[in-house]
């Protein structure tokens, strides 16, 4: 992933997708917004205790950089579940942590601050997907289910789907307790540290995505608290970044 600078703001993008003219995607940072501590400064999360007016201005700033309008944005009510919603003309997105669509100009978005955003793109349909995979969603195999839903709903071909694991808490920092560890195969837990990146990568592979089509950003949000909101680094009270993906007409 590369971070492109626009004045005070940054947009993270996967370099292999930059040449895809019909695709818009991006990941925000905490830089360049108007919110004050502990939401400083580009808080894009609506369910935080930040002033909603600030969040709204921050969102407009970030979406402007992507060329996405607020009317195009689909914001699901995330619950750390495993539901995958198929977004068509009428968006239905309550209690949803993953979405897929093949509709043009519909911007899928999720809010994160350590949880793993997984972006999907199948150029052959074309169609896209976006999953919010914290430990609960990952344990419930949301990434595998998202790919599977793309295949069933849109006849996407796993061999043509590209998957991108965005900035999130890495195995370097994600210490988990005894209630979380048994939910995962021991291969993903090293000295109490959970590897959500590896687990989501493997779910992509199990769903049929080719190894060379899976990219892990390798950027840990907890390791870079000046650049990203991190639930762990802040002790819980913090802002949210946003992951966005849209097919452009
Ligand atoms: Zn880290």
């Amino acid at each position: 992933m590369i971070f492109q600078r626009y004045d005070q703001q940054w947009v993270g993008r996967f370099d292999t997708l930059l040449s895809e003219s019909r695709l818009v995607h991006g990941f925000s940072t905490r830089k360049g917004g108007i919110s004050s501590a502990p939401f400083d400064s580009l808080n894009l999360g609506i369910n935080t205790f930040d002033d909603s007016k600030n969040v709204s201005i921050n969102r407009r700033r970030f979406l402007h950089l992507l060329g996405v309008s607020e009317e195009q944005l689909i914001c699901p009510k995330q619950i750390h579940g495993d539901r995958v919603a198929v977004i068509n003309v009428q968006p239905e997105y309550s209690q949803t942590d993953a979405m897929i669509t093949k509709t043009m100009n519909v911007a899928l978005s999720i809010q994160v601050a350590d949880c793993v955003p997984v972006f999907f793109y199948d150029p052959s349909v074309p169609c896209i997907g976006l999953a919010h995979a914290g430990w609960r969603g990952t344990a419930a195999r949301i990434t595998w289910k998202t790919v599977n839903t793309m295949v069933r709903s849109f006849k996407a071909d796993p061999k043509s789907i590209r998957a991108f694991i965005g900035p999130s808490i890495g195995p370097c920092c994600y210490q988990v307790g005894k209630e979380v560890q048994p939910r995962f195969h021991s291969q993903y837990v090293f000295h109490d540290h959970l590897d959500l990146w590896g687990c989501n990568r493997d779910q992509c592979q199990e769903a049929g995505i080719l190894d060379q089509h899976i990219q892990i950003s390798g950027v840990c949000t907890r390791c870079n608290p000046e650049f990203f909101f991190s639930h762990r680094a802040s002790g819980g009270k913090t802002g949210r970044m946003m992951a966005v993906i849209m097919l452009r007409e």
Side-chain angles (χ1 to χ4, degrees):
M1 171 165 269
I2 56 165
F3 284 86
Q4 297 173 309
R5 186 168 188 167
Y6 301 83
D7 195 13
Q8 300 301 309
Q9 298 187 63
W10 301 77
V11 179
R13 293 192 172 101
F14 292 96
D15 43 0
T16 52
L17 288 177
L18 290 177
S19 57
E20 295 284 344
S21 57
R22 60 185 172 177
L23 193 73
V24 173
H25 81 291
F27 187 79
S28 69
T29 71
R30 70 186 297 170
K31 299 282 198 189
I34 61 162
S35 297
S36 46
F39 307 107
D40 49 314
S41 59
L42 194 76
N43 176 29
L44 304 181
I46 39 169
N47 295 317
T48 54
F49 290 98
D50 193 4
D51 186 333
S52 61
K53 287 195 207 81
N54 292 347
V55 174
S56 173
I57 290 167
N58 289 338
R59 281 191 169 198
R60 236 169 281 146
R61 283 190 183 181
F62 179 64
L63 292 176
H64 178 72
L65 297 179
L66 297 183
V68 169
S69 72
E70 284 174 281
E71 294 71 40
Q72 291 171 326
L73 196 71
I74 305 289
C75 301
K77 199 168 212 177
Q78 300 164 201
I79 56 163
H80 291 274
D82 67 344
R83 179 170 174 239
V84 183
V86 181
I87 311 289
N88 294 313
V89 180
Q90 290 189 318
E92 209 284 272
Y93 49 85
S94 64
Q95 303 200 328
T96 290
D97 286 270
M99 297 153 290
I100 63 170
T101 193
K102 58 177 181 178
T103 307
M104 300 288 146
N105 299 324
V106 165
L108 308 180
S109 80
I110 53 168
Q111 300 172 47
V112 286
D114 284 347
C115 286
V116 183
V118 191
F119 302 71
F120 302 95
Y121 174 50
D122 182 347
S124 75
V125 176
C127 63
I128 54 174
L130 187 61
H132 160 242
W135 76 261
R136 287 186 182 83
T138 303
R141 295 178 60 74
I142 193 165
T143 288
W144 183 88
K145 287 174 183 171
T146 306
V147 178
N148 204 255
T149 310
M150 288 172 77
V151 172
R152 279 189 293 110
S153 303
F154 301 147
K155 294 191 168 54
D157 178 4
K159 291 191 171 54
S160 131
I161 298 175
R162 273 73 173 156
F164 301 87
I165 295 172
S168 42
I169 194 162
C172 41
C173 294
Y174 198 27
Q175 194 172 23
V176 292
K178 296 280 179 253
E179 73 287 3
V180 174
Q181 289 177 28
R183 304 284 299 273
F184 293 86
H185 192 282
S186 59
Q187 75 187 94
Y188 302 116
V189 184
F190 314 87
H191 304 291
D192 296 350
H193 285 61
L194 177 60
D195 181 8
L196 287 178
W197 297 346
C199 197
N200 281 291
R201 176 202 58 217
D202 291 356
Q203 286 182 29
C204 289
Q205 283 177 343
E206 287 157 19
I209 300 182
L210 303 174
D211 193 32
Q212 65 266 32
H213 289 164
I214 304 168
Q215 196 178 332
I216 299 178
S217 76
V219 176
C220 173
T221 44
R222 173 70 181 84
C223 280
N224 300 282
E226 71 295 328
F227 206 62
F228 300 110
F229 295 115
S230 166
H231 193 266
R232 276 289 170 103
S234 66
K237 203 174 180 195
T238 191
R240 297 286 182 278
M241 280 88 66
M242 190 181 272
V244 178
I245 187 166
M246 180 177 90
L247 287 169
R248 178 161 54 191
E249 211 142 28

